[in-house]
Amino acid sequence: MTSGRAAGIRRLRGLKNISWLSARQLNRLAAALTVSTIEKREIIIDEKYLPDAAYVLLTGVARITCRNRKGDRILVIMVAPGMIPGFPPPVPGISYNFRCEAVTECQIGTIELKAFVEISLGIASDDFKRMALSYLGRWDLVQLRCANFMSCTLEERIALILLELSDNFGVNEKRGKRITITTRSLSMR
């Protein structure tokens, strides 16, 4: 093993959110990562051009930002070295334009998501995605709703709820979508 590869494995071992990987898994991950340097203020990942990959922040500090309702880019979370969190799945009718940006010069390791899941979990990527979707359900919508509803008018909140209901319980018809559940009243508390 080269000294560069050994240093890379030691660096991976020190990352909190992947410290649970075995030495064998860390060796495989280190060999599979493509490492690149991202300069300060450059975009690491952009929601619009998101390949099916996992990203590991090896060194540096990054941040995840999105656009608020007024179009301003706002800070969502600061990212320390380790796995860069994935962006939530898109919600119809809502665009956040998430992106991960370098706050300092960063070293980023990139690996296809399929390979990362196989190395870290020993299962097929499609199986993992199905399991995660079943287990986590629609918590992404809960988080997005909480963040989005804080500054919405009553009319906007009703429109967003109707979009979500039509996505989950809608049936396509000639004039649009019909929501198939019956409701007595909507509570907007």
Side-chain angles (χ1 to χ4, degrees):
M1 181 184 311
T2 66
S3 62
R5 176 124 178 250
I9 292 169
R10 278 193 304 274
R11 187 181 304 145
L12 287 174
R13 188 173 287 122
L15 301 177
K16 285 183 183 180
N17 61 1
I18 60 172
S19 63
W20 55 272
L21 292 175
S22 69
R24 180 179 168 275
Q25 290 168 314
L26 287 171
N27 284 328
R28 290 182 63 202
L29 181 58
L33 284 177
T34 301
V35 178
S36 57
T37 300
I38 306 294
E39 297 298 321
K40 183 178 179 176
R41 293 189 193 96
E42 285 185 16
I43 297 171
I44 298 168
I45 314 166
D46 190 318
E47 180 183 85
K48 294 176 186 173
Y49 310 103
L50 193 61
D52 204 17
Y55 296 86
V56 181
L57 179 60
L58 300 170
T59 63
V61 177
R63 66 180 170 215
I64 295 178
T65 63
C66 71
R67 296 241 182 245
N68 65 13
R69 290 180 58 237
K70 296 178 182 175
D72 301 324
R73 188 149 291 280
I74 59 168
L75 174 69
V76 176
I77 188 172
M78 296 297 289
V79 182
M83 289 293 301
I84 295 175
F87 299 146
V91 177
I94 301 173
S95 176
Y96 284 94
N97 297 314
F98 285 106
R99 72 179 181 204
C100 183
E101 307 163 340
V103 174
T104 64
E105 182 179 276
C106 297
Q107 275 197 321
I108 304 294
T110 308
I111 182 172
E112 284 187 15
L113 185 59
K114 180 179 179 177
F116 178 75
V117 170
E118 192 278 319
I119 289 169
S120 61
L121 300 177
I123 62 174
S125 179
D126 289 340
D127 293 340
F128 169 75
K129 288 177 184 176
R130 282 192 294 272
M131 184 279 307
L133 184 60
S134 296
Y135 179 71
L136 296 175
R138 298 306 306 195
W139 278 103
D140 58 313
L141 290 178
V142 173
Q143 292 172 348
L144 291 173
R145 178 184 290 166
C146 289
N148 200 38
F149 275 17
M150 287 182 205
S151 58
C152 288
T153 66
L154 176 61
E155 292 82 8
E156 290 169 328
R157 289 184 290 180
I158 290 172
L160 291 170
I161 288 173
L162 289 172
L163 282 170
E164 183 181 333
L165 287 172
S166 70
D167 192 41
N168 293 325
F169 302 102
V171 175
N172 288 325
E173 293 185 346
K174 284 184 181 181
R175 297 183 333 197
K177 278 195 175 184
R178 180 175 54 89
I179 298 175
T180 60
I181 60 172
T182 57
T183 61
R184 291 187 194 173
S185 65
L186 290 175
S187 175
M188 296 306 293
R189 293 184 189 162

